[in-house]
């Protein structure tokens, strides 16, 4: 019998909420199967089985417990072939039916997901307990029910619409296109029934923390935003020309993110205040760049950090992003991997944003917002031409960054990206 | 150019994986060492065996049962060349269909034998000896299986044959010995017995189709005997002699004495072994178990990251539809989706006539695990439609949890069981109770009413027509 205790999601966290059971009581689980998810002020993590056996759940979903509490046991003596049936919870409906025509107890269908519903719930990181009431026969969870549950926002699953970058507890929400192209970001859809229904849901600990921090950033910094636009023609040409070779050579796709990262790290050399932070009455300058780059995780956006991005090659940047994105998708990022950034890049373009003002992630003093690339007519040498253009925005803390610095920095980033050769020449 | 996915082997596991990957916008290559696509299943397995099973059953009906319907046929004639030719045409149509599907889905087909060179590189040597190399981010091994034999009796493809040769015999043999009363032995034994061959099947275990529910083995055994097949159960083969004009098979009977069986051919049907010859497993970190099956984790990934394996080559149920499910599973996971395979809900079918089909736990498994269960059975002879069709031989058996009534297993022996099992699979996937099925309307008169009645019997022993 293996005892599974609630792990600590990071230093200084003593209480967590078991948000979700991913397997049912009585299920046979294999080693490494994900068992449950915990949610704290800092992060959401999933806990996997360290051995195979039959699961016995001791703490129901939604309960807040101390780190170290016994969450479940795994009976390692049982083998896959001898799984006892999931315990039937006597439902109130059944009690009422007693004495009715059929004396036979039917299987409790509630919490049983149809094959398609099961897949949808897994992908959304949800379980049947997220479906209020199964609408199928006997309360079975149907595909429709699963879709609804999957699309109901939970823990900042969707960034607040007008601001692409919302700070998560551990950082702002920067976005890169981490998921494969064929996985469109899911958007919640509520069915209007014509009735005046209001739904109330408890904010999760994570969401509460996010809210608190967002407001505090506004109140404790002097945040301003500067804008510019980038003609992406050259960069797109370079990428088009070399993306296959690059991939062959480095086994990783060549994206725009690596160019942006390098453009930023090079520019920061000239504007150290942009990479600094305020601590009490001191300014802390960082002579290195730890770049926060947000990726899509099952429960929302997280911001892992690329350490020493200033000394990485383009390929190393792409590889590191890919590695962190994979860890994020599997809920494997540790708190350490998500803290300590000195600067952040956020990409609202993934959602189609044309222009927005990202919000700072203290103690960082600046954040760059990338946006959608769109063909637009612009004037070049007195001629109207059509070019792939991207607006960029940088929000900065005016307390330590002057207007001259912020604007100069962003212009430099723009110049690097419009002429990627300059990155190479470092001019 | 580098592929997103390279699939080695174009059997039902491989080609389905390739199509699913193309649907998910991956750039896909499929590699096949044989001149035609479709693997064991389409070329020398499921499809040709079913073609011959269907033809030979028609012949048997004409020979034995048309009279009961009042149909006279005069002198019945069997033209084996035409029968075999029709089978070849069916195979040809099917494999061409796969080639079309590859083209339609823009999948690159590479003809030749594939050898893994490392993480992402694969060498392909064509029939002409020409060698090419491709690279791919992910690889799926779907190289399937080959007929197994016994240490003292190696298949020579002349007298001591496998199912592959048995599907293409020059003429209908007078006598045929089959070693192994598993699915393939029973199916091909039926084909030739129907056409007049004296078929003798030797089986080491005490029942035909020993992995299925014991009731099914018993029923099938009776029916094979009625067809004129001699079943030597509990017999251990100890020698096969191919030197003479006839093949001689010596087996030890349960009592200890030896029996000698002779045939024009001896077909080895003792199972299939994984096929990984010259696949280059030594160049990558892929490992195999003692029997040669490729080892995979629960995501069907081998010890070498990015290299996956599916179908017969990883063992488990050696079934085409199991290989297909695994192909889709791996590809969807690669695309970031989270599919799941319920191995308990993969049905088994034996295409004899009557057919045998089963899904879920067998009664023996439930007994062994001390699970409290109940049984509901319903015989075909009580079924109006079965009597109308002159198909009264058969039974449907439903196993349900004693307390929850959840259906745990369904086993059928009877006409059209192969198609009827689908309903039981749906029931299992949705974890239906026996009463659920009993409360669902079934068209009358159909064979499927037998399932409903068996469910009624399982629910509270209240079958209507018994
Ligand atoms: C007589 C018979 C009847 C059967 N009837 C049924 C049935 O009715 N229903 C059912 O579900 N199952 C049936 N089966 C089993 C079914 O055929 C197999 O389970 C199924 O074909 C397995 O699919 P697969 O994709 O794993 O491999 P296979 O179908 O064996 O395909 C593997 C392919 O890989 C190719 N290959 C191998 N190595 C290489 C290499 N290095 N390079 C390139 N190509 C390579 C092979 O040439 C082959 O074409 C039957 C089998 C037999 C023999």
């Amino acid at each position: 019998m293996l005892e599974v205790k609630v792990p600590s999601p990071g230093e200084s966290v003593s209480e967590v909420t078991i948000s979700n059971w991913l397997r049912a009581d009585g299920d046979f689980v294999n080693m490494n199967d994900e068992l449950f998810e915990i949610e704290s002020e800092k992060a959401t993590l999933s806990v996997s089985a360290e051995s195979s056996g039959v699961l016995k759940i001791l703490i129901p979903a939604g309960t807040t417990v101390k780190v170290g509490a016994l969450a479940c046991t795994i009976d390692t003596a049982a083998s896959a072939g001898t799984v006892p049936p999931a315990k039937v919870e006597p439902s109130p409906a059944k009690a009422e039916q007693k004495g009715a025509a059929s004396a036979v107890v039917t299987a409790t269908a509630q919490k049983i997901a149809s094959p398609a519903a099961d897949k949808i719930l897994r992908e959304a990181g949800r379980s049947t307990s997220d479906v209020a009431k199964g609408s199928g026969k006997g309360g079975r969870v149907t595909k429709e029910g699963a879709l609804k549950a999957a699309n109901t926002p939970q823990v900042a699953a969707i960034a607040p619409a007008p601001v692409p970058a919302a700070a998560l507890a551990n950082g702002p929400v920067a976005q890169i296109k981490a998921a494969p192209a064929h996985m469109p970001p899911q958007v919640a859809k509520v069915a209007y029934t014509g009735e005046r229904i209001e739904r109330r849901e408890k904010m999760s600990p994570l969401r509460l923390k996010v809210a608190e921090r967002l407001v505090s950033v506004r109140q404790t910094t002097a945040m301003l935003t500067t804008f510019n636009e980038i003609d992406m023609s050259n960069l797109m040409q370079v990428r088009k020309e070399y993306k296959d070779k690059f991939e062959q050579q480095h086994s990783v796709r060549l994206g725009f993110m690596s160019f942006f990262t390098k453009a930023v790290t090079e520019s920061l050399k000239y504007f150290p205040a942009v990479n600094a932070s305020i601590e009490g009455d001191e300014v802390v300058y960082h002579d290195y760049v730890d770049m926060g780059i947000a990726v899509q995780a099952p429960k929302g956006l997280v911001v892992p950090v690329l350490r020493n991005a200033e000394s990485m090659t383009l390929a190393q940047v792409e590889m590191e992003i890919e590695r962190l994105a994979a860890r994020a998708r599997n809920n494997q990022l540790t708190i350490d991997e998500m803290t300590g950034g000195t600067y952040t890049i956020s990409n609202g373009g993934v959602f189609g944003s044309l222009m927005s003002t990202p919000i700072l992630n203290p103690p960082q003093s600046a954040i760059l917002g990338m946006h959608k690339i769109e063909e637009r007519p612009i004037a070049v040498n007195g001629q109207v031409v059509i070019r792939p253009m991207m607006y960029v925005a940088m929000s900065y803390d005016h307390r330590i960054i002057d207007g001259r610095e912020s604007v100069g920095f962003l212009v430099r980033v723009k110049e690097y990206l419009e002429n990627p050769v300059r990155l190479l020449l470092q001019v | 150019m580098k592929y997103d996915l390279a699939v080695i082997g174009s059997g039902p596991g491989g080609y389905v994986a390739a199509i699913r990957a193309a649907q998910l916008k991956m750039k896909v290559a499929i590699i096949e060492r044989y001149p035609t696509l479709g693997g064991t299943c389409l070329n020398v397995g499921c499809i040709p065996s079913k073609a011959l099973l269907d033809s030979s059953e028609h012949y048997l009906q004409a020979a034995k049962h048309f009279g009961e319907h009042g149909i006279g046929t005069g002198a019945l004639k069997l033209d084996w060349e035409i029968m075999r030719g029709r089978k070849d045409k069916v195979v040809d149509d099917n494999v061409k269909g796969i080639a079309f599907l590859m083209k339609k889905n823009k999948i690159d087909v590479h003809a030749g034998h594939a050898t893994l060179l490392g993480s992402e590189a694969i060498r392909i040597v064509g029939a002409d000896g020409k060698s090419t190399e491709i690279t791919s981010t992910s690889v799926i091994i779907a190289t399937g299986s080959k007929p197994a034999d016994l240490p003292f009796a190696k298949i020579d493809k002349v007298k001591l044959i496998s199912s592959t040769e048995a599907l293409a015999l020059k003429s209908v043999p007078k006598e045929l010995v089959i070693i192994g009363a598993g699915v393939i032995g029973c199916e091909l034994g039926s084909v030739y017995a129907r056409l007049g061959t004296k078929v003798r099947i030797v089986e080491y275990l005490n029942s035909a189709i020993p992995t299925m529910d014991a009731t099914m083995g018993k029923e099938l055994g009776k029916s094979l005997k009625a067809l004129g097949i001699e079943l030597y159960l509990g017999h251990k083969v100890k020698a096969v002699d191919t030197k003479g004009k006839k093949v001689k098979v010596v087996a030890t009977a349960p009592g200890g004495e030896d029996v000698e069986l002779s045939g024009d051919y001896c077909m080895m049907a003792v199972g299939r072994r994984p096929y990984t010859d010259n696949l280059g497993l030594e160049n990558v970190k892929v490992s195999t178990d003692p029997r040669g099956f490729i080892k995979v984790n629960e995501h069907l990934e081998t010890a070498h990251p990015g290299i996956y394996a599916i179908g017969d080559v990883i063992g488990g149920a050696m079934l085409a539809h199991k290989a297909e499910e695994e192909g889709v599973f791996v590809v969807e996971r690669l695309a970031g989706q989270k599919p799941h395979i319920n191995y308990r809900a993969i049905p088994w079918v034996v295409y004899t006539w009557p057919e045998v089909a089963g899904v879920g736990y067998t009664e023996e498994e439930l007994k062994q695990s001390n699970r409290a269960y109940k049984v509901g059975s319903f015989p075909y002879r009580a079924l109006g439609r079965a009597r109308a069709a002159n198909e009264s031989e058969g039974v449907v058996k439903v196993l349900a949890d004693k307390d929850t009534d959840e259906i745990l297993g369904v086993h059928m022996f009877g006409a059209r069981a192969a198609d009827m099992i689908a309903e039981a699979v749906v029931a299992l996937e949705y974890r239906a109770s026996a009463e659920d099925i009993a409360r669902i309307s079934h068209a009358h008169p159909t064979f499927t009413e037998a399932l409903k009645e068996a469910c009624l019997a399982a629910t509270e022993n209240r079958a209507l027509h018994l």
Side-chain angles (χ1 to χ4, degrees):
Chain A
M1 187 76 74
L2 182 76
E3 297 190 336
V4 183
K5 299 205 169 125
V6 174
S8 167
E11 266 175 59
S12 79
V13 179
S14 59
E15 273 197 347
V16 300
T17 304
I18 295 191
S19 51
N20 238 341
W21 280 97
L22 304 171
R23 302 299 299 265
D25 194 34
D27 267 9
F28 183 85
V29 297
N30 289 312
M31 199 167 113
N32 297 331
D33 278 3
E34 289 179 359
L35 297 175
F36 59 93
E37 289 175 331
I38 55 173
E39 205 171 80
S40 70
E41 291 178 347
K42 289 199 168 172
T44 302
L45 284 176
S46 60
V47 177
S48 305
E50 282 169 11
S51 157
S52 305
V54 173
L55 176 69
K56 182 156 175 43
I57 293 178
L58 300 173
I59 301 175
T63 318
T64 302
V65 293
K66 290 251 179 302
V67 165
L70 190 58
C72 62
T73 59
I74 296 175
D75 182 357
T76 49
S79 70
T82 60
V83 189
K87 278 277 166 309
V88 181
E89 307 155 22
S91 67
K94 199 186 297 159
E96 280 162 29
Q97 276 171 11
K98 258 218 172 113
S102 166
V104 179
V105 185
T106 51
T108 299
Q110 278 170 35
K111 303 302 170 202
I112 297 176
S114 80
D118 176 64
K119 177 166 180 280
I120 291 163
L121 290 176
R122 277 167 196 279
E123 284 170 8
R126 304 298 180 90
S127 74
T128 47
S129 50
D130 292 322
V131 183
K133 187 187 173 313
S135 56
K137 246 201 152 58
R140 277 183 173 69
V141 175
T142 58
K143 181 173 176 182
E144 184 189 7
L147 279 172
K148 260 192 207 142
N151 287 335
T152 308
Q154 187 193 32
V155 203
I158 289 143
V163 193
L168 271 196
N170 56 332
V173 176
Q175 257 285 299
I176 61 153
K177 207 162 184 173
H182 38 266
M183 277 177 35
Q186 289 205 332
V187 177
K189 187 170 158 212
V190 174
Y192 285 150
T193 54
E195 289 161 71
R196 299 170 56 80
I197 296 173
E198 279 173 4
R199 295 173 296 125
R200 278 166 186 272
E201 282 170 18
K202 266 251 162 336
M203 279 167 85
S204 69
L206 194 59
R207 188 78 241 179
L208 278 170
K209 191 75 187 177
V210 167
E212 194 187 300
R213 287 193 54 148
L214 282 169
V215 174
S216 119
V217 176
R218 288 266 176 209
Q219 288 168 347
T220 57
T221 63
M223 194 164 75
L224 284 184
T225 306
T226 174
F227 299 96
N228 217 314
E229 62 178 349
I230 299 175
D231 179 346
M232 300 284 286
S233 318
N234 287 336
L235 197 51
M236 287 175 90
Q237 185 56 36
V238 168
R239 183 164 172 269
K240 194 171 150 211
E241 214 162 298
Y242 291 102
K243 77 174 198 299
D244 286 343
K245 271 215 185 88
F246 184 90
E247 206 177 320
Q248 255 172 27
Q249 190 72 33
H250 303 294
S251 300
V252 65
R253 270 173 231 261
L254 176 61
F256 291 129
M257 211 60 212
S258 48
F259 287 105
F260 273 83
T261 304
K262 291 317 288 183
V264 167
T265 59
E266 282 305 310
S267 305
L268 285 174
K269 286 184 190 164
Y270 298 86
F271 301 93
V274 179
N275 195 31
S277 46
I278 295 181
E279 239 173 64
D281 56 0
E282 286 178 340
V283 175
V284 184
Y285 291 97
H286 306 285
D287 292 340
Y288 61 88
V289 184
D290 278 0
M291 183 74 76
I293 283 174
V295 300
Q296 182 82 43
K299 280 289 179 70
L301 300 158
V302 291
V303 191
V305 176
L306 269 62
R307 306 283 168 199
N308 288 94
E310 82 287 350
S311 50
M312 289 185 178
T313 62
L314 289 174
Q316 284 168 335
V317 170
E318 291 292 356
M319 275 185 279
E320 185 64 1
I321 291 176
E322 190 176 270
R323 186 184 71 84
L324 291 167
R327 287 178 62 77
R329 275 199 300 279
N330 297 326
N331 272 340
Q332 287 167 334
L333 285 177
T334 62
I335 300 277
D336 283 346
E337 284 173 310
M338 295 190 281
T339 43
T342 60
Y343 187 93
T344 296
I345 300 180
S346 111
N347 184 1
V350 175
F351 294 133
S353 170
L354 206 53
M355 173 98 85
S356 66
T357 56
I359 188 163
L360 288 177
N361 175 27
Q364 295 169 26
S365 301
I367 175 169
L368 178 72
M370 293 165 62
H371 298 96
K372 189 182 162 199
I373 301 169
E374 205 181 43
E375 289 199 338
R376 260 186 288 133
I378 57 159
V380 177
N381 299 331
Q383 292 286 323
V384 176
V385 292
I386 291 182
R387 290 285 168 84
M389 301 299 293
M390 179 196 280
Y391 288 118
V392 284
M394 186 173 82
S395 297
Y396 59 100
D397 192 342
H398 208 1
R399 288 179 303 164
I400 56 167
I401 301 171
D402 293 335
R404 186 185 55 82
E405 284 171 311
S406 67
V407 173
F409 172 84
L410 197 55
V411 167
R412 194 153 191 110
V413 168
K414 165 192 164 83
E415 285 171 357
Y416 277 136
L417 292 167
E418 290 190 340
N419 281 305
V421 169
R422 292 182 56 175
L423 270 179
L424 195 66
L425 303 173
Q426 298 186 311
V427 291
Chain B
M1 181 204 51
K2 184 170 173 184
Y3 290 103
D4 296 320
L5 176 67
V7 183
I8 307 180
S10 71
Y15 86 72
V16 168
I19 294 177
R20 184 71 187 112
Q23 287 175 343
L24 290 168
K25 307 272 179 291
M26 297 182 203
K27 185 82 195 105
V28 189
I30 192 164
I31 309 153
E32 173 55 59
R33 62 197 296 271
Y34 276 130
T36 55
L37 302 178
T40 303
C41 176
L42 271 73
N43 290 283
V44 293
C46 328
I47 297 300
S49 61
K50 265 78 265 178
L52 289 183
L53 277 157
D54 285 338
S55 292
S56 59
E57 179 60 20
H58 283 312
Y59 178 79
L60 184 82
Q61 287 291 329
K64 295 263 166 71
H65 302 296
F66 274 16
E68 296 156 17
H69 294 277
I71 305 170
T73 52
L76 196 62
K77 195 176 141 252
L78 171 68
D79 191 325
W80 172 243
E81 301 251 305
I82 293 181
M83 193 179 278
R84 206 185 52 192
R86 189 192 78 93
K87 174 216 68 178
D88 292 336
K89 169 97 174 52
V90 170
V91 168
D92 193 48
D93 287 350
N94 270 287
V95 299
K96 280 191 186 134
I98 304 300
F100 164 78
L101 287 175
M102 296 299 105
K103 201 172 195 174
K104 182 184 150 199
N105 286 287
K106 305 200 168 54
I107 294 162
D108 286 354
V109 177
H110 297 268
H113 185 101
T115 304
L116 294 158
L117 298 178
S119 279
E120 306 188 325
I122 300 170
R123 183 176 57 226
I124 304 164
V125 179
D128 52 5
K130 258 213 218 109
S131 169
T132 51
E133 232 175 77
I134 63 166
T135 57
S136 174
T137 308
S138 306
V139 176
I140 295 180
I141 301 174
T143 50
S145 61
K146 291 273 180 206
D149 43 22
L150 297 171
F152 53 87
K154 298 276 173 213
I155 292 169
D156 64 13
K157 301 191 184 183
V158 183
K159 285 264 170 62
L160 184 50
I161 60 177
S162 72
S163 56
T164 304
E165 292 76 42
L167 287 166
L169 294 180
K170 288 189 300 293
S171 57
V172 177
K174 285 216 168 52
E175 293 182 307
L176 174 65
V177 180
I178 295 175
I179 303 180
V183 178
I184 295 177
C186 292
E187 287 184 3
L188 290 176
S190 294
V191 166
Y192 287 105
R194 290 167 189 167
L195 301 179
T197 305
K198 182 74 215 166
V199 175
R200 304 183 173 95
I201 304 181
V202 195
E203 166 61 53
Y204 177 63
L205 295 172
N206 285 318
S207 145
I209 47 169
T211 55
M212 294 182 74
D213 187 275
T215 310
M216 300 298 111
K218 230 187 289 162
E219 294 294 329
L220 179 62
K222 277 193 261 175
S223 136
L224 293 176
K225 276 183 202 153
L227 191 59
I229 294 179
E230 287 173 13
L231 264 183
Y232 296 85
L233 299 177
H235 281 60
K236 183 172 188 213
V237 173
K238 59 181 215 190
V240 180
D241 177 5
T242 53
K243 285 193 281 296
K245 193 164 175 311
K246 294 245 173 182
V247 191
K248 289 203 162 53
V249 176
V250 182
T252 311
E257 72 282 6
D258 282 352
V259 292
E260 192 186 289
L261 310 168
S262 79
D264 301 299
Y265 301 97
C266 170
M267 180 178 96
M268 193 63 87
V270 295
R272 297 178 61 84
R273 62 168 179 90
Y275 181 73
T276 56
D277 295 4
N278 194 16
L279 186 55
L281 295 187
E282 64 286 356
N283 302 332
V284 287
K285 284 196 297 255
V286 177
S287 54
T288 54
D289 74 5
R291 289 186 300 161
F293 290 108
I294 291 180
K295 282 203 241 172
V296 291
N297 65 14
E298 76 271 24
H299 300 144
L300 306 184
E301 191 168 15
T302 66
H304 195 114
I307 302 183
Y308 298 79
I310 58 168
D312 280 9
V313 80
I314 63 168
M318 286 191 158
L319 295 168
H321 43 281
K322 176 248 183 195
E324 290 182 23
E325 293 303 330
E326 290 178 339
V328 170
F329 173 85
V330 167
V331 169
E332 289 186 347
R333 276 198 70 89
L334 285 176
Q337 302 183 12
K338 292 200 177 167
H340 174 71
I341 300 182
N342 182 358
Y343 282 98
R344 269 285 157 205
I346 291 182
W348 278 88
V349 176
V350 190
Y351 297 84
T352 47
W353 197 266
E355 294 169 329
V356 190
V359 65
Y361 291 93
T362 64
E363 193 166 350
E364 293 69 39
E365 286 173 318
L366 293 178
K367 267 191 198 138
Q368 228 172 35
S369 63
N370 286 324
R371 179 108 180 228
Y373 68 94
K374 44 190 187 161
V375 188
S377 289
F378 192 81
Y380 268 42
R381 69 184 142 70
L383 209 60
R385 184 57 194 276
R387 284 200 295 260
N390 204 21
E391 296 285 2
S392 324
E393 184 186 4
V395 63
V396 172
K397 172 166 141 181
V398 172
L399 305 167
D401 186 277
K402 194 151 195 290
D403 303 317
T404 66
D405 198 35
E406 180 175 341
I407 296 178
L408 303 174
V410 175
H411 306 280
M412 331 176 144
F413 168 75
R416 304 189 191 179
D419 295 292
M420 274 161 55
I421 198 67
E423 181 182 357
V425 179
V426 174
L428 242 74
E429 278 283 11
Y430 283 82
R431 296 182 59 181
S433 65
E435 185 179 355
D436 288 333
I437 300 300
R439 292 197 175 280
I440 293 172
S441 170
H442 288 64
H444 174 77
T446 58
F447 288 93
T448 64
E449 285 172 289
L451 178 61
K452 173 176 175 154
E453 292 273 10
C455 283
L456 278 167
T459 311
E460 46 182 353
N461 197 14
R462 56 181 178 89
L464 294 164
H465 294 89
L466 209 60

